[in-house]
Amino acid sequence: MTDDYEHYEAVVVGAGPGGAAAAAVLARNDVETLVLERGVDAGSKNVSGGLIYAEESAPYTVDGLFPDFREQASERPVTDYYLHNVAGDKVKTFDITDLHEHDTAWSDTVLRRKMDSWMAKRVHEMTAETGGGLLTDVRVNGLLRDNGEIVGVTCDELDPITADVVIAADGVNSELARDAGLMDWEEPEEWFQGVKAVIDVPEDVIAERFDVDDDEGVAHLFSGDLFEDVRGGGFLYTNEDSLSIGTVFHLDSLVAEQAEPHELLDSLLTHPLLADWLEGHYDEVEYSAKLVPDSKKVANPSPHRGRLLTVGDAAGQMQAQGPIIKGMNHAVSAGALAGEAFAEAQLRDNTERAGALYERKLKDEGVMGKLRPTGYRVASALGERGPVTSLADSVLTSGVGRLGVKLTGGLLERLYSSPRLSMMVPDTQTPYVTLPTVIAEELGERVDGEADFEPKDLASRIGDLTYDTDVGNPHIELQDTSMEASGAAVYACPVSAEDFGGGCYRAEEVKTNGSEEKRVSLDTQPCVECGTCAVVADTDWEHPRGGKGVEFEQG
Amino acid sequence: MRSVVLTKGVPDFREGQVSFDEDGHLERGATPTVMNPNDEFALQAALQTKVKHGGDVSVMSMGPPGYENVLEEAMSVYADDLYLLSDREMAAADTWSTSITLSAGIEKIDEEPDLVIAGFKTADGETGQTGPQTAWCLDRPIVTHVISMEIDEEEETLRAKRLVEGDVDEIETVEAPLPAFVVTDPEFSPSYRRAEHRLRHKRLKAETTERVENYEDHLTTWSAEGLDLDPDFIGLDGSPTIVSGVDPIPKAPSEREATMVDPDDAEAMNDVLETMQPLAGGD
Ligand SMILES: Cc1cc2nc3c(=O)[nH]c(=O)nc-3n(C[C@H](O)[C@H](O)[C@H](O)COP(=O)(O)OP(=O)(O)OC[C@H]3O[C@@H](n4cnc5c(N)ncnc54)[C@H](O)[C@@H]3O)c2cc1C
Ligand SMILES: Cc1cc2nc3c(=O)[nH]c(=O)nc-3n(C[C@H](O)[C@H](O)[C@H](O)COP(=O)(O)OP(=O)(O)OC[C@H]3O[C@@H](n4cnc5c(N)ncnc54)[C@H](O)[C@@H]3O)c2cc1C
Ligand code: SF4
């Protein structure tokens, strides 16, 4: 049955960092490689906060695979790293550059459209040499099976394709990982939601306000009560001539607090701490959002099935190391290891072995150890008695109480800078909200300053985005319109809000048999494809067809 | 598989580009000339043929030397080489002498093309006659209103879907032996369901983007003499069409006499009906 189909030795799905790395290594090993990307351009669908790391201990780094990456695809190296503990207008700032530099060869800010499309050009050149290449505007919609075995992929735009290996680098809402049963989209606890705004600021203003030269950049992290009780934090990174400002929250916490993601972003944008930085230069050019997996919970230790290997976000390989977010670097490592594993297996004439080899490499190269640190598992098993919580709790509840915070301020700063401890930060409110708030209250100084702008409202944020709507062919279908099943999306969807009619999700009063009832309705037109409602609502969720849907210019 | 695509330059009718004088006549000097928008579909059909079956795509136009830019635009979509048929003797041609000139041009090309492809109607002349007449001059079977097509190299046939407009639009599938003449419909859409074809398409697009930088190197210009055409049969002299005058379409008056009628006022409504009755017959 599959004899008539086109065949490639390797098919890579997705041209983010994971897919690009996999394809680069495959091509280097003369494996005939076809890369399929659903966006009109690589990067047009992708969002990150924007700090890519090259770890000293990593088996692969992005500049190792793509020479000139730093000169041509990234923005600025990050030379300073601060964590701001916030309580109202009181702020205590820790310099955690040490944590940032731990195991770091270098780390640059990036914008994904520029980064991914640059890599995709190289990938196309390399893979074309092998008889393959990279195609955009193609969405893979499932796995091709023969007698139950995975033998290739099916696409919206192309006839089925068979392959000796399929590397799924299709990101956080991997349809292929789900199809293969390697990932489900059920538990909000397993995910974060990231939301970001890119603000255009002239280069000289960045230099002056952030005290950086051309080849320097800075990262600012925010935690404490500026997001009320929602667990998570904010970030601000300097690009060449723009700022990436955003938030990353635990999805279960967003749902529990019925928080509106865009409002949380607004409270960061308008915090007094940012007033001086943004004064006269609030020129928001793009609003975006995306789910982020929490590797501690979802990194699959055995991310393969038959000929399918999953890498990067598709395999849950996104590490939140305390405040530091490392997804892109691990996607690069994993993608490259998957490519390497297949090339080796092929050399030994035993391509069936690729998955097992890949799994072993992830472990041997220390990637899995970072994604699922033993310390965290122990800490969770002990029920919150991890070192961070213990210390925090003792500080907060002991007789010394808040005075302890004053006395241990220096210690706390060191604690936050500890790479080992920061891996084990539990997901409770203590480290994200309570502790930073107390730190700021006790140790912080008042910042005065007031934002001289109103953040853009949701309608204009949506209005400024580019969409190619697939009219009459919505990519998400609501299965259950009851508030219990799907009501959370009205809040948690980053382009919907309770009293906003122009978003994706709305709660509507519906009259049935004389009684009034609240029902959820969905319009996918403004969707930014973040994936949130795949988890928090009862939906049949797919990505739009190739080239359709939202197109990010910055990412 | 060799294709020749015919294209014509037309005034750029897009908002902000086109200018008219006080009497509503087009100011050709002030309006840039661009490739007839419908000819893009003809180029897409030729490109699809090249992607799937190899060969070359030549683009040909009859017009003044300024049409070089039109051919340049065509090459930015896709072309391997360009032909401009340009001569004072060819000027003021109607569709008939245009067709005679074009068919002489096509016959002069070294290799006989398997396909000649024209667009559907130009944005200015709008007759849609040039394609069919040229096919007649070349004595080829013609398939018009083509919205998709595939070629069977072994059978040497062309299988096309054509849009037949009528009370109900219908899609008809027809087959023609090669060599043939095709007129693409503005609904034409190429189809690439194989990755290898999309990869080749991507490569060909990159090549033509590079080639167009020096499009002059790929351009051949032929005069009437070069085509061995009798001046009596081309240009104005060869045109049976006589343009006796050009009348602007009268503009709708900006103000009209209007009487407000309250729909609830039975008597007034009756008057309206009575006034309209004589017009209801369609006279
Ligand atoms: C707000 C935010 C902040 C973040 N901050 C950071 C940070 O500072 N540092 C960091 O390292 N990481 C950060 N991350 C995480 C990081 O973005 C991801 O971990 C990383 O992008 C994962 O790379 P990937 O290659 O696995 O997937 P992606 O980059 O998501 O790429 C997947 C690709 O597959 C394509 N695709 C998906 N489905 C299909 C299909 N069916 N067919 C064809 N193509 C398909 C997509 O269009 C996309 O191009 C952040 C994420 C967010 C949302
Ligand atoms: C009433 C009238 C008066 C005219 N008066 C003049 C005049 O005074 N002076 C003058 O120069 N022209 C004049 N023309 C224009 C000229 O006759 C036509 O433009 C020309 O013959 C093509 O006809 P068309 O624009 O209707 O094209 P169509 O028949 O609608 O074009 C169909 C397709 O044929 C091909 N094609 C058409 N023309 C060319 C070409 N020149 N080269 C290559 N391919 C071509 C293209 O693929 C095009 O998409 C006049 C046209 C009309 C209708
Ligand atoms: S509709 Fe769903 S996927 Fe789209 S933006 Fe909203 S939550 Fe995200």
Side-chain angles (χ1 to χ4, degrees):
Chain A
M1 138 206 139
T2 55
D3 291 352
D4 300 339
Y5 295 140
E6 253 186 297
H7 178 83
Y8 290 85
E9 287 176 349
V11 168
V12 176
V13 184
V25 170
L26 288 166
R28 214 156 71 175
N29 285 287
D30 285 330
V31 177
E32 181 197 32
T33 305
L34 175 68
V35 185
L36 301 174
E37 162 60 44
R38 70 188 178 95
V40 283
D41 188 10
S44 67
K45 296 289 184 183
N46 302 344
V47 184
S48 86
L51 251 190
I52 189 164
Y53 283 86
E55 290 183 330
E56 273 157 7
S57 62
Y60 286 93
T61 58
V62 71
D63 63 327
L65 293 170
F66 299 97
D68 298 332
F69 177 90
R70 301 191 67 197
E71 290 71 31
Q72 299 190 21
S74 74
E75 296 285 314
R76 286 170 187 266
V78 170
T79 41
D80 286 295
Y81 204 101
Y82 300 100
L83 175 69
H84 305 279
N85 297 281
V86 179
D89 59 356
K90 285 185 91 179
V91 176
K92 173 64 188 174
T93 300
F94 290 163
D95 182 343
I96 54 168
T97 310
D98 281 352
L99 174 62
H100 164 72
E101 287 178 348
H102 168 79
D103 194 26
T104 300
W106 55 265
S107 150
D108 288 356
T109 52
V110 292
L111 289 167
R112 293 295 298 275
R113 180 72 181 258
K114 175 173 146 190
M115 167 178 140
D116 293 15
S117 62
W118 182 87
M119 287 196 298
K121 278 210 185 75
R122 311 276 109 49
V123 166
H124 179 66
E125 287 162 13
M126 289 186 240
T127 48
E129 296 276 309
T130 69
L134 180 147
L135 292 176
T136 55
D137 297 287
V138 177
R139 170 180 163 256
V140 173
N141 60 19
L143 293 165
L144 180 70
R145 290 184 170 85
D146 191 11
N147 286 323
E149 296 290 316
I150 296 166
V151 294
V153 294
T154 58
C155 311
D156 289 342
E157 293 77 16
L158 299 176
D159 294 336
I161 299 169
T162 59
D164 301 329
V165 69
V166 176
I167 297 187
D170 49 345
V172 68
N173 283 86
S174 168
E175 291 175 73
L176 297 188
R178 182 182 53 169
D179 188 339
L182 293 170
M183 178 79 92
D184 65 34
W185 303 344
E186 306 291 338
E187 305 300 331
E189 295 77 39
E190 297 175 348
W191 312 89
F192 303 96
Q193 184 198 66
V195 170
K196 180 169 96 159
V198 177
I199 319 281
D200 264 357
V201 179
E203 216 174 319
D204 55 319
V205 177
I206 291 185
E208 188 204 309
R209 295 191 181 176
F210 292 91
D211 193 22
V212 288
D213 284 341
D214 284 359
D215 53 355
E216 292 175 340
V218 56
H220 291 278
L221 280 281
F222 308 88
S223 63
D225 71 356
L226 81 171
F227 309 112
E228 309 211 326
D229 287 333
V230 195
R231 281 183 284 119
F235 60 84
L236 180 157
Y237 303 138
T238 52
N239 301 315
E240 268 165 25
D241 51 10
S242 65
L243 302 174
S244 291
I245 303 181
T247 55
V248 177
F249 290 106
H250 280 273
L251 188 56
D252 56 327
S253 178
L254 272 177
V255 171
E257 303 294 333
Q258 299 201 334
E260 295 280 6
H262 68 287
E263 287 176 4
L264 297 173
L265 177 68
D266 291 348
S267 51
L268 175 59
L269 285 167
T270 55
H271 191 270
L273 197 56
L274 275 67
D276 284 349
W277 288 332
L278 294 179
E279 192 189 350
H281 286 284
Y282 170 70
D283 179 9
E284 185 181 316
V285 291
E286 187 171 276
Y287 175 78
S288 59
K290 182 77 80 195
L291 276 195
V292 184
D294 185 351
S295 70
K296 294 194 291 296
K297 291 161 184 158
V298 294
N300 191 327
S302 187
H304 56 95
R305 176 141 307 168
R307 296 186 196 178
L308 177 77
L309 278 56
T310 60
V311 307
D313 277 8
Q317 296 162 342
M318 193 347 278
Q319 179 196 10
Q321 186 185 8
I324 293 186
I325 291 178
K326 291 183 170 174
M328 293 182 278
N329 58 315
H330 292 313
V332 167
S333 290
L337 290 176
E340 192 186 285
F342 177 76
E344 280 175 25
Q346 195 192 42
L347 210 63
R348 288 186 224 151
D349 249 347
N350 190 0
T351 54
E352 318 267 285
R353 286 272 304 143
L357 220 53
Y358 166 55
E359 178 178 337
R360 205 174 72 210
K361 284 172 187 288
L362 279 176
K363 199 158 157 275
D364 292 351
E365 296 289 348
V367 179
M368 202 41 82
K370 291 173 192 162
L371 296 171
R372 300 198 80 130
T374 338
Y376 174 80
R377 265 178 283 155
V378 173
S380 319
L382 293 177
E384 309 273 306
R385 294 261 56 92
V388 176
T389 313
S390 315
L391 186 117
D393 283 353
S394 65
V395 164
L396 297 175
T397 57
S398 73
V400 196
R402 291 174 169 241
L403 186 65
V405 173
K406 278 215 163 96
L407 296 175
T408 54
L411 176 68
L412 282 169
E413 184 162 3
R414 261 188 287 135
L415 176 79
Y416 267 80
S417 300
S418 154
R420 206 173 60 80
L421 292 183
S422 61
M423 272 192 187
M424 303 173 207
V425 173
D427 302 323
T428 57
Q429 207 151 294
T430 318
Y432 285 101
V433 184
T434 321
L435 189 55
T437 307
V438 174
I439 291 170
E441 276 167 1
E442 296 302 322
L443 302 173
E445 281 170 33
R446 226 164 270 288
V447 280
D448 46 18
E450 202 177 325
D452 65 344
F453 62 88
E454 278 282 319
K456 273 195 189 174
D457 61 17
L458 212 40
S460 43
R461 280 175 169 154
I462 294 168
D464 289 345
L465 287 170
T466 306
Y467 294 96
D468 181 354
T469 306
D470 197 356
V471 182
N473 197 9
H475 62 105
I476 310 171
E477 274 170 36
L478 206 49
Q479 298 294 307
D480 185 339
T481 60
S482 71
M483 285 301 284
E484 300 73 55
S486 302
V490 178
Y491 303 94
C493 169
V495 289
S496 303
E498 199 189 355
D499 295 315
F500 175 56
C504 291
Y505 283 92
R506 272 178 298 258
E508 290 173 338
E509 297 286 346
V510 182
K511 286 200 183 98
T512 37
N513 303 333
S515 71
E516 284 220 341
E517 206 184 0
K518 253 195 172 176
R519 289 261 153 203
V520 182
S521 74
L522 168 66
D523 167 12
T524 55
Q525 199 280 322
C527 175
V528 293
E529 299 158 30
C530 76
T532 300
C533 63
V535 180
V536 307
D538 187 355
T539 57
D540 186 358
W541 201 101
E542 291 186 349
H543 289 101
R545 288 193 297 161
K548 296 293 179 185
V550 73
E551 178 189 340
F552 295 125
E553 305 287 339
Q554 311 281 332
Chain B
M1 229 6 96
R2 188 188 191 88
S3 310
V4 175
V5 174
L6 303 176
T7 184
K8 192 188 127 176
V10 296
D12 190 348
F13 285 111
R14 281 170 310 173
E15 200 72 39
Q17 297 288 332
V18 62
S19 30
F20 295 99
D21 69 13
E22 291 158 14
D23 304 326
H25 293 264
L26 180 74
E27 291 188 299
R28 289 217 176 238
T31 305
T33 300
V34 294
M35 182 179 84
N36 175 41
N38 277 341
D39 297 348
E40 160 120 25
F41 303 104
L43 287 165
Q44 295 292 1
L47 176 54
Q48 179 190 300
T49 306
K50 168 145 184 162
V51 164
K52 296 186 181 178
H53 308 282
D56 280 314
V57 176
S58 305
V59 179
M60 182 178 286
S61 189
M62 183 198 86
Y67 268 34
E68 276 193 17
N69 297 341
V70 174
L71 289 169
E72 180 186 1
E73 193 182 334
M75 188 171 259
S76 74
V77 179
Y78 191 82
D80 290 291
D81 43 30
L82 305 170
Y83 294 89
L84 179 60
L85 315 184
S86 191
D87 198 309
R88 293 192 92 96
E89 297 285 353
M90 298 175 190
D94 68 2
T95 59
W96 180 244
S97 55
T98 301
S99 301
I100 291 187
T101 311
L102 288 172
S103 56
I106 293 162
E107 280 175 339
K108 191 176 159 70
I109 294 182
D110 288 342
E111 188 191 334
E112 191 199 5
D114 304 276
L115 279 174
V116 180
I117 312 175
F120 171 66
K121 285 209 253 193
T122 55
D124 58 348
E126 275 208 345
T127 66
Q129 293 168 356
T130 312
Q133 287 173 171
T134 309
W136 187 85
C137 294
L138 294 167
D139 196 17
R140 284 175 173 233
I142 178 166
V143 187
T144 57
H145 296 285
V146 169
I147 56 171
S148 74
M149 61 181 230
E150 293 300 337
I151 281 167
D152 188 329
E153 271 182 287
E154 251 164 56
E155 298 287 317
E156 291 185 54
T157 53
L158 160 83
R159 186 184 259 270
K161 286 204 164 75
R162 52 193 308 268
L163 189 68
V164 190
E165 283 182 55
D167 291 341
V168 190
D169 285 358
E170 269 183 59
I171 292 173
E172 186 178 78
T173 305
V174 297
E175 214 173 78
L178 293 175
F181 199 107
V182 164
V183 178
T184 49
D185 191 89
E187 300 275 312
F188 179 86
S189 70
S191 158
Y192 300 106
R193 297 282 310 174
R194 289 175 75 83
E196 63 170 317
H197 291 155
R198 288 192 182 214
L199 289 168
R200 201 170 301 146
H201 181 270
K202 187 167 167 170
R203 197 187 73 222
L204 293 176
K205 285 295 281 187
E207 283 171 10
T208 207
T209 305
E210 203 167 295
R211 192 157 45 232
V212 76
E213 301 279 326
N214 302 305
Y215 74 93
E216 303 94 337
D217 298 349
H218 307 274
L219 174 71
T220 307
T221 304
W222 283 329
S223 64
E225 215 180 29
L227 290 174
D228 211 8
L229 282 167
D230 183 339
D232 287 347
F233 290 92
I234 58 167
L236 186 60
D237 295 344
S239 296
T241 316
I242 297 167
V243 182
S244 57
V246 180
D247 297 318
I249 299 169
K251 276 192 184 163
S254 55
E255 275 179 45
R256 276 183 253 201
E257 223 177 283
T259 316
M260 300 299 284
V261 179
D262 178 357
D264 292 331
D265 182 341
E267 203 172 316
M269 284 304 284
N270 215 31
D271 286 350
V272 174
L273 290 180
E274 261 168 40
T275 316
M276 284 169 64
Q277 199 137 39
L279 306 173
D283 310 310

